[in-house]
Amino acid sequence: MHRYPRNLIGYGPTPPDPAWPGGAKIAVSFVLNYEEGGENNLLHGDAASEAFLSEIVGAAPWPGQRHWNMESNYEYGARAGFWRLHRLFTGAKIPLTVYGVTTALARSPEQLWAMQEAGWEIASHGLKWIEHKDMTEEEERGHMEEAVRLHTEVVGTPPQGWYTGRCSMNTVKLAAELGMDWVSDTIDDDLPYWLPVGDRNQLVIPYTMDANDMRFAVAAGFGGGDEFFTYLKDSFDALYAEGQAGAAKMMSIGMHCRILGRPGRIMALKRFLDYAQSHAGVWFPRRIDIAKHWKAVHPPSRFGLKPSQMDRETFVKTFGGIVEHSPWVAERAFDLELGPAHDRAVGLQNALVRVLRSASDEEKLAVLKLHPDLAGKLQQAKRLTPESEDEQSSAGLTALTDAERATFTARNEAYQSKFGFPFIIAAKDNTKATIMAAFETRLANDRETEFRTACAQVERIVYHRLKDLLP
């Protein structure tokens, strides 16, 4: 049994309508990362200086030493950059979510006061702005629990949302265990979604690494304000157009005090604020506002059937009849690498038909022979499987005239005589008339062509049967 944990399908081709308040075409979420005073520093008990997201591109940690220029860069964010951003957003009357590193908030009481006075949401950005990838699960849990304790002490209320950023494979699970209303340690979608974590449904509000000023601090990032503005505008335009077409989305914009708070960059942000506010139907929520809306409009629901999470007995019992009277197909499919993508109709169809495609010709022929004739004796005797009965009925084959039934009988016999297996066609793709026409066309085929055609039709039948069971 092989199970693949990553979810590569998400909402698939038809994401839900978020139904944003007021019929908004787009939700634009601004996030300010407040990390100044929480970064790696010997003063904070760390082994080396900070090296991440600064004006010093390509900086490396200095083990056992403080880094004056790095510290100064971070200090700019707290001393000047924060206040420039605060003036811009309070003037525009657009609320923010702050990803607040707890130790940084504790060292910046005036900035914290200003955030609270402005009505900004203050979420947790972890205890310290450090890497978590090498921590044990218990060590990271301890950091996160202490972050919540200190956040509650410093802010006055516990955090409702979580974003570590420099996270580990355990971060989202641990945040869910802490009972967060939302978690943003993903960059995998344009809409929120519910993630099963144990017995809990955790709301995930994906973040962004592209519409993010951090790209000013990396080698292949934004070269100047015009590039930043253009990228934000293009992202907004694409998502706004999708919203106008009935598929509204969410746009996240990531900001850092020491990066976007610089005077040479903030005017690009101001141009974007003006541009976004010039459009009708734009919602500027905090992330907690998105979470409350999603919970009310799209509450969690665990779809009843999860093939990738079933044991063998349940899987075969549930899907053993999808390929007509051939449970061995489901038995072999269970042993494939299944994951969340196979919890949907197209995904599980692919797993089942992979088994058929790799089967021997003798096995394939046996599957073909197990299918009933169309409008044949089994149908007349009401001995079809429920699936076959439904399929033949959908094409009108259970209500034939005597003349039509005689025609079907004659063609079934001619087909069986020539090819040695029943005529198979996905009835739900057809009508009585198109099936009659297909009989004529396919009777002229050679056996090899018709064998391949019949197998392809079995694959279509598998899809239709799964479509009635899975998303």
Side-chain angles (χ1 to χ4, degrees):
M1 174 180 174
H2 306 284
R3 294 298 175 260
Y4 190 68
R6 295 170 63 199
N7 188 336
L8 302 180
I9 184 65
Y11 287 121
T14 53
D17 177 4
W20 297 133
K25 305 296 188 294
I26 185 173
V28 181
S29 169
F30 289 95
V31 175
L32 180 61
N33 293 263
Y34 196 86
E35 299 153 353
E36 290 75 12
E39 78 277 14
N40 284 285
N41 192 308
L42 267 63
L43 297 176
H44 306 158
D46 301 306
S49 62
E50 185 56 69
F52 192 46
L53 292 188
S54 78
E55 302 298 326
I56 311 169
V57 178
W62 289 6
Q65 296 185 59
R66 292 173 62 188
H67 192 313
W68 181 262
N69 284 338
M70 184 63 71
E71 290 185 22
S72 294
N73 182 74
Y74 271 75
E75 287 160 14
Y76 183 92
R79 293 163 56 114
F82 170 81
W83 299 108
R84 186 169 285 120
L85 288 161
H86 181 269
R87 288 190 294 271
L88 176 62
F89 279 95
T90 54
K93 295 182 171 53
I94 294 177
L96 300 181
T97 290
V98 177
Y99 289 166
V101 173
T102 321
T103 50
L105 295 174
R107 294 180 176 119
S108 299
E110 290 198 31
Q111 292 91 332
L112 173 60
W113 177 275
M115 296 172 195
Q116 293 176 307
E117 288 291 289
W120 294 355
E121 175 192 15
I122 305 175
S124 183
H125 197 7
L127 181 65
K128 301 169 68 175
W129 178 230
I130 59 175
E131 290 288 354
H132 292 70
K133 63 182 177 62
D134 296 321
M135 291 184 184
T136 66
E137 183 173 340
E138 284 306 307
E139 184 181 4
E140 185 175 9
R141 179 182 286 109
H143 272 250
M144 294 173 75
E145 289 174 346
E146 174 59 15
V148 171
R149 186 205 67 78
L150 184 58
H151 186 109
T152 305
E153 177 182 294
V154 171
V155 176
T157 54
Q160 294 176 278
W162 189 276
Y163 176 75
T164 293
R166 298 163 87 167
C167 58
S168 78
M169 295 302 293
N170 294 315
T171 300
V172 172
K173 178 177 80 73
L174 292 172
E177 291 174 0
L178 287 171
M180 292 295 146
D181 288 338
W182 58 266
V183 177
S184 283
D185 273 298
T186 67
I187 50 174
D188 57 1
D189 214 303
D190 298 310
L191 286 175
Y193 60 88
W194 294 99
L195 178 70
V197 181
D199 294 331
R200 175 181 171 83
N201 287 300
Q202 177 61 57
L203 182 64
V204 175
I205 304 179
Y207 189 45
T208 177
M209 295 294 181
D210 62 315
N212 192 313
D213 68 1
M214 66 174 285
R215 292 182 58 203
F216 282 112
V218 296
F222 299 123
D226 288 344
E227 291 182 20
F228 182 59
F229 168 74
T230 298
Y231 192 85
L232 294 186
K233 178 181 177 298
D234 287 348
S235 299
F236 178 92
D237 287 346
L239 295 173
Y240 190 82
E242 290 180 16
Q244 288 180 309
K249 299 296 192 306
M250 174 188 72
M251 178 180 179
S252 295
I253 299 171
M255 308 177 295
H256 299 76
C257 303
R258 63 191 175 278
I259 299 176
L260 203 53
R262 294 279 177 176
R265 298 178 182 132
I266 199 164
M267 294 308 294
L269 177 62
K270 183 180 185 305
R271 288 198 298 276
F272 177 73
L273 292 186
D274 293 342
Y275 180 76
Q277 287 187 306
S278 72
H279 289 69
V282 180
W283 184 37
F284 297 99
R286 303 168 304 171
R287 286 174 111 69
I288 189 60
D289 302 322
I290 295 173
K292 289 177 179 178
H293 173 82
W294 205 263
K295 184 176 181 179
V297 177
H298 297 283
S301 175
R302 296 196 179 191
F303 198 88
L305 295 178
K306 293 282 189 183
S308 69
Q309 297 176 23
M310 291 178 175
D311 59 44
R312 178 184 293 274
E313 181 180 357
T314 305
F315 185 90
V316 175
K317 181 179 179 181
T318 305
F319 303 110
I322 296 297
V323 179
E324 196 85 5
H325 300 297
S326 302
W328 62 269
V329 178
E331 290 170 356
R332 294 185 194 176
F334 181 85
D335 293 324
L336 297 176
E337 181 190 79
L338 303 183
H342 299 95
D343 293 335
R344 297 165 64 92
V346 170
L348 189 55
Q349 189 261 6
N350 181 262
L352 293 173
V353 302
R354 282 176 58 191
V355 172
L356 287 172
R357 291 168 184 170
S358 61
S360 67
D361 284 349
E362 290 76 14
E363 289 173 318
K364 293 175 185 176
L365 179 59
V367 168
L368 298 184
K369 287 183 174 181
L370 287 168
H371 281 73
D373 286 332
L374 294 180
K377 294 178 181 178
L378 290 178
Q379 186 262 314
Q380 295 174 50
K382 300 189 181 302
R383 290 171 53 201
L384 294 176
T385 63
E387 294 85 358
S388 291
E389 178 71 25
D390 175 61
E391 289 154 3
Q392 295 203 25
S393 177
S394 71
L397 302 186
T398 55
L400 298 177
T401 66
D402 290 343
E404 288 171 334
R405 189 173 302 282
T407 300
F408 266 93
T409 299
R411 289 178 178 173
N412 279 326
E413 291 174 353
Y415 188 95
Q416 280 270 18
S417 176
K418 180 174 182 179
F419 298 115
F421 50 85
F423 178 79
I424 300 172
I425 192 167
K428 288 195 173 182
D429 288 332
N430 288 277
T431 64
K432 180 169 58 177
T434 61
I435 291 172
M436 291 278 233
F439 248 129
E440 288 291 332
T441 300
R442 289 170 54 183
L443 272 167
N445 286 338
D446 59 74
R447 190 179 186 282
E448 182 179 349
T449 299
E450 194 52 28
F451 186 82
R452 291 197 306 268
T453 302
C455 289
Q457 288 300 306
V458 170
E459 295 185 7
R460 288 294 299 177
I461 292 169
V462 168
Y463 164 70
H464 283 296
R465 291 182 178 183
L466 289 171
K467 189 175 66 170
D468 294 334
L469 298 175
L470 298 172

